[in-house]
Amino acid sequence: MAQSNQSANNNDIDTAKASKPAKRTRSTRTAKPTRTAVSPVFKARLESHREELERLFMSLYNDSAAFDSLLEAMSTAYAERPTDLKRLDKAREADPEWYKRGDMFGMTMYTDLFAGDLKKLADKIPYLKEQKLTYLHLMPLLQMPHPNNDGGYAVEDFDNVDPSLGTNEDLANLTKKLRRAGISLCLDFVMNHTASSHRWAKAAIAGDPEYQDYYFCYDDRTIPDQYDAVVPQVFPGSAPGNFTWNEEMHKWVMTQFYPFQWDLNYRNPKVLVAMMSSVMHLANLGVEVFRIDAVPYIWKELGTNCRNLPTVHTIVRILRIILECVCPAVVLKGEVVMAPKELAAYFGTPEAPECHMLYNVSIMVNLWSALASRDVRLLKTQIDKLNALPENCWFVNYLRCHDDIGWGLDEDVEREIGIDPLKHKEFLYHFYEGAVLGSWSMGELYNYDAATRDARSCGTTASLCGIERAIITHDKPLLETSVKRDLLMHQTMAFLRGFPMLNCGDEIGQLNGWDYKEDPDRVADSRNLHRSKFDWDKAALRKKAGTLQHELWEGMAGLREERHDPCFAPDAWVSTWDTFNDAVLAVVRKVEGETLVGLFNFSENPQHAHLNTSDDIINDPVDADLEPYEARFIHL
């Protein structure tokens, strides 16, 4: 990708002038890159990585000219990096595990639903500071088609903010204000595909063979059928197949997600260089964390299932090296919805790291399973598997986000403990839609497949925990119990290895937004049930004692207070412990001289927990009687 025509800054960090972020346009993409003098800082970083970077790049492409283009893009991006961000780079190089500190506390939200646009969001920073946030993940905000954009994951311009949300300058101003407030901004970077309205796709549709090679385009079904024979479908119900026929182009194009999302061809070095250039451009606008979306899918190999291929890790490692050379303040968060055995590879090794952290999808699913079944055995086993991963593996823990709950439990473990995987999955998704006797939940199904009997679940934390049903039925005892469930789930999530992230609205018990059914542009996607506008009137009640909002707000403050304990240090030893009670989870945290035990009762009934001793960890037996849905923390 051609670089911005913004004037290059050739000086080092101490003398560089802050540059104003430029909005990239088509003309800037095609302009010839300006050669820049190499900064000593950039040169030193590059030299320490160049041999590996070149070896990895050439293993994919064997194209020296393309590699030179990548180096030029990196040099230009460093030259354009603003002074304050270079200072941040220097600070983060001295504190590389900054994102592992116990005081890390995150939130995820949609810009438009929370505030309207980026300028208005900047005005809401005091609300974020009130929660002592250190991490803010904004859902996709780059230019997208409307209305079919898969919640922003169909991107038609990776260099510019969507006009409905603001400008690149608004984004840069927001990130600067967030940094002053101690908050790092995370944005999604959608690596696997573009929108079908992206300029590359438009050129391909117009018949340009160069841009058709940016995607997977075929004249007939011969090769698509070979892929389809072994590649699983992502959305078999709502978007069956992995290819879509484009009538204008008269070709089949690979679309693993939705027909309006065209898979990128990373076998083409131009694609990689262009996408890396966009990442660096966004980093220079002040983005500090990139959630790389659908990363296991990005490399396609005929005859394979096109998931988790070794070349995927080559590309992620290349991206990590680029960031460490150009903008080492930036970290990578991978979205890897895979079994625990697949996860370690996405962290790389201490010698050749890839992602800094991953979304903890499996624990999220197991938490909801444990709550419905009052049985923590699957959850405990999953925590044990993740805790057994190498020390460089770090997670962002959460209960709800923009997406559905996909019931991807460990079926082998289910069978070992006498659970029928399919029946348990059906129980869970029917339970959380309120269709099981005794259910307190009010959610909806997503992507139900009658043939496989598979489905996912939607809803806010509060509504899934019973708060909405209690309010509708004026059931005060149910409301009290439901609030305890809600807080138990958050307390458990925040106690695990990694750092916690709230879904915006969880802090005030925001309920489902059923009005999405009245919007023709949103009604087809039940995930919109938990994608509703933030209720600022309800948020105002957070300071009024006796309200639901105040109780949950204070509960979240308790989570932050809990995590100031020394046992939440990045190097803390973390393990589950047997409680001799399937309804109670025990997690032990230990640092030198300090041991903290967390006990979590996932039942509506009182429970007893017993923890045996172990040398140097638990010296005396622990016995505790827990109230329904109680979380208790014990210093030993």
Side-chain angles (χ1 to χ4, degrees):
M1 174 180 280
Q3 305 304 306
S4 167
N5 60 4
Q6 179 182 340
S7 296
N9 181 345
N10 301 328
N11 296 322
D12 207 350
I13 181 171
D14 296 325
T15 56
K17 295 181 179 179
S19 54
K20 183 178 180 181
K23 176 180 173 70
R24 289 194 171 190
T25 63
R26 184 168 301 187
S27 61
T28 61
R29 288 193 188 93
T30 57
K32 183 178 179 180
T34 302
R35 293 258 172 207
T36 59
V38 179
S39 156
V41 172
F42 174 72
K43 182 178 180 181
R45 290 178 189 154
L46 179 61
E47 286 306 310
S48 68
H49 289 296
R50 177 166 179 147
E51 182 178 348
E52 182 189 3
L53 179 61
E54 186 168 11
R55 173 173 53 80
L56 294 173
F57 190 93
M58 298 301 279
S59 73
L60 295 177
Y61 305 116
N62 195 28
D63 188 331
S64 298
F67 182 67
D68 288 343
S69 295
L70 176 62
L71 296 182
E72 181 65 23
M74 293 168 62
S75 179
T76 302
Y78 178 82
E80 295 178 346
R81 191 155 172 80
T83 307
D84 59 337
L85 293 178
K86 288 183 177 179
R87 283 196 294 267
L88 184 63
D89 291 334
K90 188 175 181 179
R92 293 276 170 82
E93 284 181 305
D95 182 21
E97 294 196 330
W98 63 273
Y99 58 93
K100 293 185 177 181
R101 290 195 296 265
D103 64 353
M104 285 294 292
F105 198 77
M107 177 173 282
T108 180
M109 64 176 62
Y110 280 96
T111 300
D112 56 338
L113 298 179
F114 180 68
D117 58 32
L118 293 174
K119 283 184 177 178
K120 293 176 182 175
L121 194 152
D123 294 334
K124 301 294 186 181
I125 289 178
Y127 178 82
L128 306 180
K129 285 184 66 178
E130 195 177 336
Q131 298 178 74
K132 297 181 172 60
L133 294 186
T134 60
Y135 173 100
L136 177 65
H137 178 189
L138 294 181
M139 288 291 99
L141 50 75
L142 299 180
Q143 188 170 320
M144 64 191 84
H146 295 277
N148 292 326
N149 55 50
D150 188 27
Y153 288 95
V155 181
E156 62 182 14
D157 188 337
F158 289 94
D159 292 326
N160 291 302
V161 170
D162 191 84
S164 68
L165 300 174
T167 65
N168 285 8
E169 186 173 7
D170 294 335
L171 177 60
N173 288 337
L174 172 65
T175 61
K176 185 172 292 187
K177 291 179 179 178
L178 287 171
R179 284 195 300 280
R180 289 172 184 162
I183 302 172
S184 297
L185 181 70
C186 172
L187 283 190
D188 289 83
F189 193 75
V190 185
M191 291 191 68
N192 183 69
H193 46 259
T194 76
S196 57
S197 52
H198 192 284
R199 65 185 185 87
W200 300 340
K202 288 181 177 179
I205 291 171
D208 189 329
E210 178 182 356
Y211 287 100
Q212 288 179 356
D213 193 40
Y214 277 48
Y215 302 98
F216 294 88
C217 304
Y218 303 99
D219 295 327
D220 58 41
R221 287 290 311 185
T222 302
I223 295 180
D225 285 344
Q226 292 177 38
Y227 274 110
D228 278 344
V230 290
V231 177
Q233 297 180 57
V234 177
F235 299 127
S238 57
N242 292 297
F243 289 84
T244 298
W245 174 254
N246 184 270
E247 184 62 33
E248 295 173 81
M249 191 169 55
H250 290 285
K251 290 181 183 291
W252 292 94
V253 60
M254 183 180 283
T255 55
Q256 287 195 85
F257 286 79
Y258 287 104
F260 53 83
Q261 292 166 311
W262 288 21
D263 286 52
L264 284 165
N265 175 18
Y266 278 92
R267 293 177 175 279
N268 183 344
K270 292 179 181 179
V271 170
L272 181 73
V273 174
M275 295 297 281
M276 296 302 101
S277 297
S278 292
V279 170
M280 291 183 282
H281 169 66
L282 293 170
N284 281 355
L285 294 178
V287 178
E288 296 181 38
V289 184
F290 287 102
R291 174 191 177 273
I292 45 178
D293 180 68
V295 65
Y297 301 80
I298 60 177
W299 189 274
K300 281 72 175 176
E301 190 80 43
L302 200 61
T304 74
N305 67 358
C306 297
R307 306 284 195 275
N308 304 304
L309 299 179
T311 36
V312 168
H313 298 287
T314 301
I315 291 174
V316 178
R317 177 61 186 151
I318 287 173
L319 174 55
R320 175 72 178 257
I321 291 172
I322 290 169
L323 296 180
E324 290 186 357
C325 291
V326 175
C327 46
V330 176
V331 301
L332 293 174
K333 177 176 71 172
E335 188 225 11
V336 183
V337 187
M338 299 290 168
K341 64 182 180 181
E342 305 281 4
L343 299 182
Y346 286 91
F347 291 101
T349 65
E351 297 75 27
E354 295 177 25
C355 291
H356 296 76
M357 52 191 175
L358 297 184
Y359 256 160
N360 208 341
V361 180
S362 61
I363 293 301
M364 178 272 293
V365 173
N366 276 275
L367 280 165
W368 288 107
S369 172
L371 188 68
S373 63
R374 290 79 158 175
D375 187 336
V376 302
R377 288 177 295 170
L378 289 174
L379 173 61
K380 181 181 184 301
T381 301
Q382 199 75 355
I383 294 172
D384 289 341
K385 289 184 176 182
L386 295 182
N387 285 343
L389 294 175
E391 291 184 1
N392 63 314
C393 301
W394 199 251
F395 293 93
V396 178
N397 300 313
Y398 67 105
L399 297 176
R400 295 299 298 114
C401 64
H402 70 288
D403 222 340
D404 54 87
I405 302 172
W407 298 107
L409 299 168
D410 191 324
E411 296 187 0
D412 291 336
V413 175
E414 287 182 289
R415 294 186 187 96
E416 286 175 12
I417 62 179
I419 296 174
D420 182 295
L422 181 57
K423 288 183 179 178
H424 187 53
K425 180 188 294 186
E426 289 183 304
F427 161 73
L428 290 171
Y429 65 66
H430 286 315
F431 184 94
Y432 283 111
E433 69 167 337
V436 171
L437 185 64
S439 171
W440 56 72
S441 181
M442 291 186 67
E444 278 196 306
L445 301 186
Y446 175 68
N447 263 15
Y448 176 75
D449 188 329
T452 62
R453 292 154 62 187
D454 186 42
R456 309 176 188 192
S457 299
C458 299
T460 68
T461 300
S463 293
L464 294 179
C465 284
I467 291 174
E468 183 171 358
R469 183 178 294 275
I471 291 173
I472 291 173
T473 59
H474 303 284
D475 188 334
K476 187 174 180 180
L478 176 59
L479 180 60
E480 292 175 353
T481 302
S482 299
V483 170
K484 289 179 181 177
R485 284 191 204 103
D486 188 304
L487 291 175
L488 171 79
M489 291 286 278
H490 280 97
Q491 289 164 326
T492 310
M493 175 266 290
F495 201 84
L496 303 179
R497 186 180 180 187
F499 76 83
M501 181 179 71
L502 303 182
N503 193 42
C504 184
D506 278 3
E507 74 280 12
I508 58 167
Q510 185 142 330
L511 306 180
N512 291 331
W514 297 98
D515 58 348
Y516 88 90
K517 292 179 179 292
E518 300 169 10
D519 185 342
D521 292 335
R522 302 171 71 225
V523 67
D525 190 338
S526 58
R527 291 175 299 178
N528 287 312
L529 181 65
H530 52 260
R531 298 174 180 174
S532 56
K533 286 188 176 180
F534 186 74
D535 193 331
W536 285 100
D537 290 334
K538 290 290 195 303
L541 298 175
R542 70 190 184 276
K543 299 180 180 180
K544 184 177 181 181
T547 64
L548 165 68
Q549 291 72 26
H550 181 265
E551 188 170 0
L552 289 175
W553 185 271
E554 291 300 309
M556 302 309 153
L559 299 185
R560 296 189 292 273
E561 186 65 29
E562 165 196 325
R563 290 181 56 83
H564 284 295
D565 191 285
C567 290
F568 285 88
D571 59 350
W573 179 85
V574 185
S575 176
T576 64
W577 213 265
D578 195 357
T579 63
F580 299 93
N581 187 332
D582 291 343
V584 180
L585 175 72
V587 180
V588 179
R589 286 182 158 271
K590 183 176 178 62
V591 294
E592 187 175 351
E594 297 275 352
T595 301
L596 178 65
V597 176
L599 297 174
F600 308 93
N601 178 9
F602 277 74
S603 167
E604 67 270 44
N605 299 311
Q607 300 290 335
H608 180 79
H610 173 81
L611 280 66
N612 281 338
T613 61
S614 177
D615 291 344
D616 301 323
I617 301 173
I618 298 180
N619 296 321
D620 297 305
V622 175
D623 283 277
D625 292 308
L626 301 171
E627 293 298 315
Y629 300 116
E630 180 184 356
R632 187 180 302 178
F633 310 110
I634 304 171
H635 280 92
L636 301 180

